[in-house]
Amino acid sequence: MKPGAGLLHRVAGVVPGLWLAGFFLLPLAFVWVLSFGEKQGLVAVDIVWTADNYLRALDPLYLGIVAKSLWIAALTTVICLAVGLPVALGIVFAPARWRPLLLLLVILPFWTNLLIRTYALIAVLRTRGHVNATLGWAAELFGLPFEPLSLLYTNGAVVAGLVYVHLPFMVLPLYATLHRLDRSLVEAAADLGAGHLRVCVTIILPLAVPGIVSGSLLVFVPALGSYLTPDLLGGPDSQMIANVIERQFKSANDWPFGAALSFLLMYVTFGALALRSLSVRRPAVP
Amino acid sequence: MRIPPGPLEFTRRTWIRLVLLATFVFLYAPIATLVAYSFNDSRRNIVWRGFTTRYYERAIANDGLVEAFGNSLLIALAATVVSTLLGAMTAYALWRFRFRLKPLCEGVVMLPIVIPEICMGVAMLVFFARIGWPGDLPWPISLSRITIAHISFCFPFVAVVVRARLSRFNGELAEAARDLGAGEWAVVRDVIVPHMRPGLVAGALLAFTLSLDDFVITFFTSGPDTVTFPVKIYSMVRFSVTPEVNAASTVLIVVTITVTVVAMWLQNRTRSGAPP
Amino acid sequence: MTEAVRVDGICKRFGAVIALADVSLRIEAGEFFALLGPSGCGKSTLLRIMAGLEHPDRGSVFIDGIDVGRTPANRRPVNMVFQSYALFPHMSVRSNVAYGLRVTGTGRAEAHERAEAALGLVRLAGYGERMPDQLSGGESQRVALARALVKRPRVLLLDEPLSALDARLRDEMRLELVSLQKTVGITFIIVTHDQEEALSMADRVAVMEAGSIRQVAPPAELYEAPADRFVATFIGQVNLFPATVEADGIATAHPFPGVTAKSRGTGAAHQAWIAVRPEKITMAPGGSTPAGRLSGVVEEVVYRGDLSLYLVRCMPGPDGLVRVSRANAARTADRLPGPGAEVVLDWPEDCAVVLAS
């Protein structure tokens, strides 16, 4: 071995480790400690190791927001799944020369800025936006009275925005799973008399479960913690956990409470991830 | 005669086609209208009033916007270089070595990917405030907070991509090189790094896009003098929908897509061309 | 006899590859029929077209005399045993077998009862609760058979059903498939690339090459009277001598005037071949009388256990080597000529076949 070779290898492990410790774990530790502190004045905080901040999160006001966040994230996941399954199915079984293009069309929005995509939705959904313009034009065509719908600044707009942003995260794992599916299973089911919808329900759906689980997680976790979409598309009652956290740090200036809420959000996230590792491990046991 | 679709021809089913079509319209119509209306000669920008590049001129004349754009590119470039290096090292170390706490280390590396962005942003805000990172540094060093935060959440993505690439490495190649007299360092340089290259390109591309795209974490680390493009757009959007935002957004879309296409093209060329 | 399956003028191409070029075939009810050919000859595609898993570009498929061209796979009265068996991994053996009954509206109790009966038929009674990943290769194969048979199809299609089994099990399953077919009385159409499999199981065999059928015949006829050079060389071993056919129908090999045969057709042909199977040739020590048709020197002896293959050099050059096989009736090797021995070769006139192409 050349002199210095061992050093090189140690550097490969140590440098990223130090970075992670200094610029990620340490900041998290600061927040964790802060979450047990007590607000004193405008910015000063005393670390008194109190659980009050966590108890305050149990206040019905905040519990309601947590419940609403969970509900919005779950609804987003379900819609993504309902749309993503046929889309993935359509791409997997498309003629080979179309498949790369269709996949690219699904991935491409991911490379476009999240903020810009959300902004684009505002223009579509607002009272004088494209959806209302189209509806108004159609109503006029049929001579019907038309009152522009208020689509923006509603919970529906938040869900639409979250689906819009997260759909690729559902389609891609579903595609990966269905792509590995043994096609002769589908043929065998058809050969045994199953129509295509029944093939979908009895063969494809059960075998796509790993993809459904990872896709759902990839949608649910970021949707739960999303800040921008409810902030820009939601109304006053569309606040999600992240918006409350942001307010503690940026306007309400109650850092300890914000820190506690951050950690609660992280614990929920870890809980969802743990559920997945359980569901992944289960089939291994006969 | 219309032949009924075969058992595998789901793509020929009408309902699947409708869902595919509706999905692509849903995904692309907003972006397409955004781009189209950046050329619309109307402030209310819902009725088409003719073609203009006025809003591009106005966007370029907006100093704050141009400065934010430059900041974003600079941060993204710096974050990409450092993240790619750190990510490659991480992937190599996790792939090459076996040690007792390895599963724990792997979990910790994944942490920045899985935790909500808002938590990461908050952590960075608290961190820089507590250690008293100076806030009045001269440009471009003033961008260091944002850049550090970006590196922290970008390099684990690079590590994951490169690690996946390394897992397909044929160990016999390294053994063959060693057998032919290459030392550890030569093996890394001549065999392993060339194998990692597609992963490095893909990882760097991902890091660049993530950094350019990020709003939430930047929102918590930027100050009044260190505004990035998404933060600037955000503050403009908060007030109203204006054609300048459309124009600026179009520019960013074009930049990201160009970078992506060029990188993919480069990667395809090296893959199909002669060995490097 | 009544017809079970008829295909008429089937054409199918995949991009630039022609998988089937105008294939027509008639398979009788109750027959054990084999589609034999090298890989890529289109035999699996033909089977899949019968099942409705592929659509032909041109031509029609009739099952029981009914044109099924627009009938989707799930409504055709045929069932298939897939090469990979395609057992649904998330269902028990019983659910797998009952699946075809359940999706066509049979009640749960009746479906399970019939599934048990079908499992009994393939000697897997009591396996119903197992999952597919707990089965051996042979067991999976039987489950696939039971699953396809439980619906009492008009025709059972088997796509290389034995190729995934090891050699011993394969021999066993061959006999079992034949007796199963006799028991259930269903038309079996099997696709295989293994000539031994086709010859030992099928009532009739269609030999396919490059998307077309070369010959359809019972196994013995295929072997003893091949239609052309491809069939002769694909099935078993054969010596081919280039020959010319005279107007009287007598073919004579070019460098070997002693090698003659009577052509089945009439009329002269410039180019033809005389085919002689190695085991039909007798071998006597050189100089013995009668002089025989050919004489030469043993160049190599290949020992194969039950028989030995002799490569006899009758002339220099690649065409001058004649293959002769002899059963190893005695235990020691000294009973027959070794390398370097001069031999004369002979065979009965009717053992030689004239092939026009």
Side-chain angles (χ1 to χ4, degrees), chain A residues 12-32:
Chain A
V14 167
V15 171
L18 282 179
W19 185 285
L20 209 56
F23 292 124
F24 177 71
L25 293 178
L26 190 62
L28 277 187
F30 278 14
V31 178
W32 190 73

Side-chain angles (χ1 to χ4, degrees), chain C residues 8-355:
Chain C
D8 251 350
I10 297 278
C11 297
K12 176 79 184 174
R13 38 165 61 221
F14 294 108
V17 182
I18 296 173
L20 293 169
D22 194 23
V23 168
S24 299
L25 193 61
R26 189 188 138 103
I27 296 159
E28 309 296 340
E31 210 176 4
F32 199 132
F33 194 90
L35 293 168
L36 173 65
S39 59
C41 72
K43 56 193 192 302
S44 279
T45 306
L46 184 58
L47 197 78
R48 289 167 59 80
I49 285 175
M50 291 177 189
L53 300 175
E54 303 279 359
H55 272 283
D57 298 333
R58 234 177 318 129
S60 15
V61 179
F62 298 87
I63 294 170
D64 274 341
I66 298 161
D67 187 343
V68 293
R70 299 175 77 173
T71 313
N74 53 322
R75 301 221 192 87
R76 293 193 186 189
V78 299
N79 286 123
M80 181 134 153
V81 175
F82 288 80
Q83 187 171 9
S84 64
Y85 313 138
L87 298 183
F88 307 129
H90 58 298
M91 295 184 193
S92 69
V93 165
R94 179 181 298 116
S95 304
N96 260 285
V97 178
Y99 184 82
L101 298 170
R102 297 284 292 137
V103 294
T104 43
T106 311
R108 170 182 283 272
E110 191 198 336
H112 279 189
E113 203 173 299
R114 282 173 66 184
E116 264 327 313
L119 284 172
L121 193 68
V122 295
R123 302 197 285 114
L124 282 182
Y127 275 63
E129 297 298 329
R130 297 209 193 178
M131 296 304 282
D133 59 5
Q134 296 170 286
L135 300 176
S136 70
E139 287 162 355
S140 305
Q141 218 258 351
R142 287 159 199 268
V143 174
L145 260 174
R147 187 176 70 177
L149 281 172
V150 76
K151 294 194 74 181
R152 303 237 127 232
R154 297 291 302 148
V155 181
L156 184 73
L157 307 171
L158 303 106
D159 188 5
E160 302 266 10
L162 306 179
S163 62
L165 303 180
D166 61 53
R168 285 256 304 276
L169 208 53
R170 199 149 52 204
D171 282 348
E172 216 174 282
M173 276 312 289
R174 257 185 229 168
L175 297 172
E176 211 169 310
L177 272 180
V178 172
S179 74
L180 187 66
Q181 197 256 344
K182 295 280 177 291
T183 317
V184 296
I186 292 172
T187 310
F188 276 33
I189 303 178
I190 183 171
V191 156
T192 176
H193 66 273
D194 182 337
Q195 37 150 321
E196 217 180 303
E197 212 166 283
L199 296 187
S200 63
M201 292 198 289
D203 300 320
R204 278 197 308 150
V205 179
V207 180
M208 294 184 66
E209 196 234 356
S212 47
I213 293 182
R214 291 309 188 90
Q215 188 174 10
V216 184
E221 192 183 322
L222 221 51
Y223 187 78
E224 304 295 350
D228 58 21
R229 269 192 308 158
F230 175 78
V231 177
T233 50
F234 186 70
I235 295 172
Q237 295 222 354
V238 74
N239 293 299
L240 285 176
F241 302 97
T244 312
V245 184
E246 300 300 330
D248 57 359
I250 300 293
T252 310
H254 291 317
F256 307 111
V259 178
T260 57
K262 178 108 180 66
S263 169
R264 279 166 297 182
T266 50
H270 248 323
Q271 186 64 298
W273 284 268
I274 296 176
V276 186
R277 298 278 185 200
E279 76 279 3
K280 305 281 196 277
I281 303 177
T282 58
M283 202 162 42
S288 60
T289 47
R293 293 171 188 271
L294 289 171
S295 62
V297 179
V298 175
E299 197 167 277
E300 211 179 318
V301 182
V302 182
Y303 180 72
R304 288 204 179 151
D306 54 345
L307 51 79
S308 291
L309 187 67
Y310 297 82
L311 302 180
V312 180
R313 169 72 60 197
C314 297
M315 216 188 65
D319 291 336
L321 214 53
V322 176
R323 291 151 176 269
V324 180
S325 71
R326 280 275 140 276
N328 290 329
R331 276 193 67 197
T332 46
D334 57 11
R335 70 270 150 180
L336 282 163
E342 288 190 12
V343 291
V344 294
L345 308 178
D346 199 5
W347 58 84
E349 175 87 19
D350 66 347
C351 285
V353 181
V354 179
L355 305 175

Side-chain angles (χ1 to χ4, degrees), chain B residues 198-236:
Chain B
L200 291 175
V201 173
L205 186 63
L206 190 62
F208 185 80
T209 321
L210 285 170
S211 168
L212 208 57
D213 193 42
D214 180 73
F215 167 73
V216 174
I217 295 168
T218 316
F219 190 49
F220 284 94
T221 40
S222 66
D225 298 328
T226 54
V227 171
T228 68
F229 191 69
V231 174
K232 180 72 186 169
I233 295 269
Y234 176 79
S235 63
M236 290 168 85

Side-chain angles (χ1 to χ4, degrees), chain A residues 121 123-137 146 149 151, chain B residues 46:
Chain A
L121 269 188
V124 170
L125 291 177
R126 69 202 161 119
T127 316
R128 283 188 303 184
H130 299 283
V131 170
N132 272 323
T134 312
L135 287 176
W137 173 79
F146 179 72
L149 308 169
L151 300 166
Chain B
I46 179 71

